[in-house]
Amino acid sequence: MELPGQRALDVSPVDDVSVPPVVSLVLPCYNEQEVLPETTRRLLALLREWIAGGQMAPGSSIYYVDDGSRDQTWALIAGYAATHEEVGGIKLSRNRGHQNALLCGLLTAPGDVLISLDADLQDDLGAIPQMVCQYRAGSEIVFGVRSSRACDTWFKRVSAEGYYRLLALLGVQVVFNHADYRLLSRRAVETLRTYEETHLFLRGLVMQLGYQTSVVEFERAERFAGESKYPLRKMLGLAWQGVTSFTAYPLRIITGAGVVVSVGSMGLAAWALFTRLFTDHALPGWASVVLPMYFLGGVQLLSLGVIGEYLAKVYEASKKRPRFHVDRVVGAGFKRRVGA
């Protein structure tokens, strides 16, 4: 599907990063009607300030991606696009999830530089000029990294940091305490376009691009309004996505577990045979039969579940279905409307 802003793959580095770039801010939205007015007000004021100060070029804009919202999110976006030349909107035909919506925005919005951030105002907007400075110094990917997790609950802090450590242990390359607040150069975005992953985990995928990177630290604030669109269930799903999309280590764990269980089973069989042949204590008992049976059955079911997860990914990828459909686009930089 051809999208606005799409062009032939350009893998040449930026010619002159000393010139202020045209920056596109990409914000996925799902039922964000409570926070969008304040988000738009702040971003417009800052964007105009940055353009006037020479940090960004005229034409820099804000692009909202409506991920199939069920409230007035799209109506607000369309209204802002009609009244502010710096605002554009992309509406997906249905809810496709945060990662697909974010990718759609990155592949659709124009600009020399694209910065992805959340619409809930938790990401520090003051870090954006720092990211652009890093880009103009030569970095094509700039990661926004949380300097602390003071605003998180104990459970979220421990679970999130433990997850990053688990990914590193499994060999998945990610930036510690980095979510999806990042800058990508046009070259990085066009390279990302060539990846055809069905199950997206952009934090890991961006690390595969291989271009020069840098880090900007920021303090994450409390959510301005509304409720988090990432409850525990979705967080666990994204965590599992990151593991299964970038490493086959769980399959190797199954192999190791199979070896251990096999050795243990042979040891148990040798013990039973020794007891039967050389002692008179060989009394039939349910424990020696039932416990190993339950243990082996549990290991087998777990192994089949993990293998099934990988097979499901292969099955879904083989269908080659589009990751999203754009229903319509409005506002800044878009020359025409597109349908799914």
Side-chain angles (χ1 to χ4, degrees), residues 146 149-150 152-166 176-177 235:
R146 297 178 62 170
R149 287 186 170 269
D152 287 348
T153 63
W154 177 87
F155 174 76
K156 186 171 183 179
R157 180 171 62 254
V158 171
S159 59
E161 292 183 348
Y163 173 61
Y164 284 112
R165 292 188 176 94
L166 175 63
F176 192 79
N177 275 338
M235 290 177 62

Side-chain angles (χ1 to χ4, degrees), residues 56-69:
M56 299 178 186
S60 296
S61 304
I62 304 162
Y63 293 91
Y64 292 115
V65 185
D66 180 20
D67 186 23
S69 297

Side-chain angles (χ1 to χ4, degrees), residues 120-154:
D120 55 15
L121 293 176
Q122 288 190 276
D123 296 328
D124 180 13
L125 303 182
I128 292 176
Q130 299 177 51
M131 291 183 175
V132 175
C133 286
Q134 291 293 332
Y135 163 77
R136 296 177 70 177
S139 296
E140 299 204 49
I141 302 171
V142 184
F143 298 103
V145 175
R146 297 178 62 170
S147 57
S148 72
R149 287 186 170 269
C151 65
D152 287 348
T153 63
W154 177 87

Side-chain angles (χ1 to χ4, degrees), residues 3-297:
L3 298 172
Q6 184 171 356
R7 62 182 183 180
L9 178 62
D10 177 12
V11 295
S12 60
V14 179
D15 293 329
D16 187 2
V17 294
S18 64
V19 177
V22 176
V23 177
S24 293
L25 305 179
V26 178
L27 299 86
C29 303
Y30 178 68
N31 294 342
E32 296 286 7
Q33 66 177 13
E34 295 178 319
V35 74
L36 271 184
E38 180 64 16
T39 301
T40 305
R41 185 190 69 80
R42 292 191 192 181
L43 284 178
L44 281 174
L46 290 172
L47 195 64
R48 291 163 182 169
E49 177 185 328
W50 294 329
I51 293 174
Q55 295 163 298
M56 299 178 186
S60 296
S61 304
I62 304 162
Y63 293 91
Y64 292 115
V65 185
D66 180 20
D67 186 23
S69 297
R70 293 172 293 180
D71 60 4
Q72 295 301 307
T73 295
W74 177 249
L76 289 172
I77 293 172
Y80 296 139
T83 55
H84 301 285
E85 64 179 2
E86 303 96 335
V87 178
I90 305 162
K91 179 176 174 57
L92 301 188
S93 60
R94 53 164 295 209
N95 179 259
R96 295 299 299 167
H98 177 271
Q99 296 290 282
N100 282 306
L102 176 54
L103 181 68
C104 173
L106 293 174
L107 300 187
T108 305
D112 303 319
V113 168
L114 295 97
I115 300 176
S116 59
L117 64 157
D118 292 336
D120 55 15
L121 293 176
Q122 288 190 276
D123 296 328
D124 180 13
L125 303 182
I128 292 176
Q130 299 177 51
M131 291 183 175
V132 175
C133 286
Q134 291 293 332
Y135 163 77
R136 296 177 70 177
S139 296
E140 299 204 49
I141 302 171
V142 184
F143 298 103
V145 175
R146 297 178 62 170
S147 57
S148 72
R149 287 186 170 269
C151 65
D152 287 348
T153 63
W154 177 87
F155 174 76
K156 186 171 183 179
R157 180 171 62 254
V158 171
S159 59
E161 292 183 348
Y163 173 61
Y164 284 112
R165 292 188 176 94
L166 175 63
L167 287 178
L169 183 64
L170 296 178
V172 181
Q173 289 186 326
V174 291
V175 177
F176 192 79
N177 275 338
H178 164 71
D180 288 303
Y181 189 20
R182 71 178 71 88
L183 175 150
L184 296 174
S185 69
R186 172 54 59 183
R187 180 164 74 138
V189 170
E190 294 303 319
T191 303
L192 184 63
R193 192 189 298 276
T194 65
Y195 285 74
E196 299 180 354
E197 311 272 326
T198 301
H199 299 275
L200 289 174
F201 184 66
L202 290 174
R203 303 176 200 185
L205 202 57
V206 169
M207 290 295 293
Q208 305 296 311
L209 303 182
Y211 299 130
Q212 182 174 335
T213 65
S214 59
V215 167
V216 169
E217 292 190 344
F218 71 98
E219 288 282 347
R220 190 167 173 85
E222 297 284 349
R223 184 181 178 86
F224 178 80
E227 298 179 352
S228 172
K229 306 307 183 294
Y230 251 84
L232 181 61
R233 175 180 59 84
K234 288 189 177 182
M235 290 177 62
L236 292 175
L238 181 63
W240 182 243
Q241 192 83 281
V243 172
T244 56
S245 295
F246 284 91
T247 178
Y249 201 83
L251 296 176
R252 298 190 182 101
I253 292 177
I254 289 176
T255 303
V259 172
V260 172
V261 171
S262 297
V263 171
S265 299
M266 288 187 290
L268 184 62
W271 170 79
L273 182 62
F274 177 84
T275 302
R276 176 65 180 84
L277 295 178
F278 299 105
T279 72
D280 55 357
H281 302 299
L283 298 176
W286 67 271
S288 61
V289 175
V290 173
L291 293 180
M293 181 178 67
Y294 283 175
F295 176 69
L296 292 173

